[in-house]
Amino acid sequence: MDVLTENFSLYGKGFLGTVELTVYASLLALVLGFLMASFRVAPVGSFRVFGTVWVAILRNTPLTLLFFAVLLGLPRFGVVLPFQLFAVLALGCYTSAFICEVLRSGINTVPKGQGEAARSLGMSFGQSLGTVVLPQAFRSVIPPIGSTLIALAKNSAIAGAFSVTELLGTYKALNELGYSIIWTFVWIAVGYLIITLSISALFNVLEKRFGVAR
């Protein structure tokens, strides 16, 4: 317990850093994921191509490489932002590709007649997608979205290697102070466990409230 009690502020700072990364990157991933899923099923060919390329590139690019591209590449083009914001961009964009595919699978479960009926009532593609198709699709994919965001929370550990304050990075300071590396990682693991179980509990509530009864 000494490792935790004597360095509670350090652990707390890293824990809050990971929570912030997870929350902001999750919001970005959900927004971009919804947008790209809409592109993937849009009647406009250029939108479908853009969504397909987005997913293909991000799903097949190692996250560490994406961090290098964002944190080291964007400043060369004059885009200078705090490292934490760069990390949010990398995590959010990477995860959005997986959110997109999860949503697209949910969209495919919605009968085509639903969209056709909406359009026969005079709704545009955007209106039918936003008010008829996506709400039904979201209800069927709540669990996999939760799993994807849990993976995002764990992936945030990579940000520590790029000078971003997060939970895993606390081991460096504690190791320099001479604390047991085993107990250092035990309490780091407990922190990640709290975060992932919280996300899991949130999506369990959402599934019970909005999920499709099976």
Side-chain angles (χ1 to χ4, degrees):
M1 289 293 292
D2 290 346
V3 177
L4 178 64
T5 56
E6 294 177 6
N7 301 279
F8 191 78
S9 61
L10 182 61
Y11 271 112
K13 187 177 180 180
F15 181 83
L16 291 177
T18 295
V19 170
E20 288 181 358
L21 276 176
T22 300
V23 170
Y24 294 141
S26 294
L27 292 175
L28 179 60
L30 288 170
V31 170
L32 289 177
F34 271 91
L35 183 61
M36 291 303 139
S38 301
F39 282 6
R40 293 294 305 273
V41 298
V44 180
S46 58
F47 283 0
R48 292 197 302 272
V49 170
F50 184 86
T52 300
V53 171
W54 178 277
V55 170
I57 291 176
L58 292 175
R59 286 184 71 192
N60 295 288
T61 301
L63 181 54
T64 304
L65 180 59
L66 187 59
F67 264 89
F68 275 112
V70 172
L71 273 79
L72 302 180
L74 290 182
R76 292 179 177 270
F77 296 96
V79 181
V80 180
L81 299 170
F83 276 10
Q84 186 177 26
L85 186 52
F86 276 133
V88 168
L89 287 173
L91 279 170
C93 290
Y94 177 79
T95 308
S96 71
F98 296 91
I99 295 290
C100 169
E101 290 303 276
V102 169
L103 282 171
R104 192 166 70 92
S105 68
I107 290 172
N108 290 335
T109 66
V110 179
K112 291 183 178 180
Q114 297 276 343
E116 292 173 354
R119 287 191 290 275
S120 70
L121 294 174
M123 290 186 180
S124 65
F125 170 77
Q127 289 174 326
S128 64
L129 187 68
T131 60
V132 177
V133 178
L134 276 179
Q136 296 183 70
F138 179 75
R139 292 179 62 199
S140 66
V141 296
I142 291 175
I145 287 179
S147 298
T148 303
L149 297 185
I150 287 174
L152 182 153
K154 294 183 288 186
N155 286 338
S156 67
I158 296 176
F162 297 89
S163 303
V164 177
T165 300
E166 53 80 42
L167 188 56
L168 183 61
T170 58
Y171 89 90
K172 299 176 184 177
L174 294 174
N175 188 44
E176 292 175 356
L177 293 173
Y179 287 98
S180 169
I181 194 68
I182 295 176
W183 285 106
T184 296
F185 279 113
V186 165
W187 290 114
I188 288 174
V190 169
Y192 278 107
L193 190 63
I194 292 172
I195 294 171
T196 55
L197 288 179
S198 298
I199 297 173
S200 179
L202 172 62
F203 276 84
N204 283 337
V205 172
L206 290 176
E207 184 180 10
K208 291 178 180 178
R209 177 67 178 83
F210 300 106
V212 176
R214 301 186 185 282

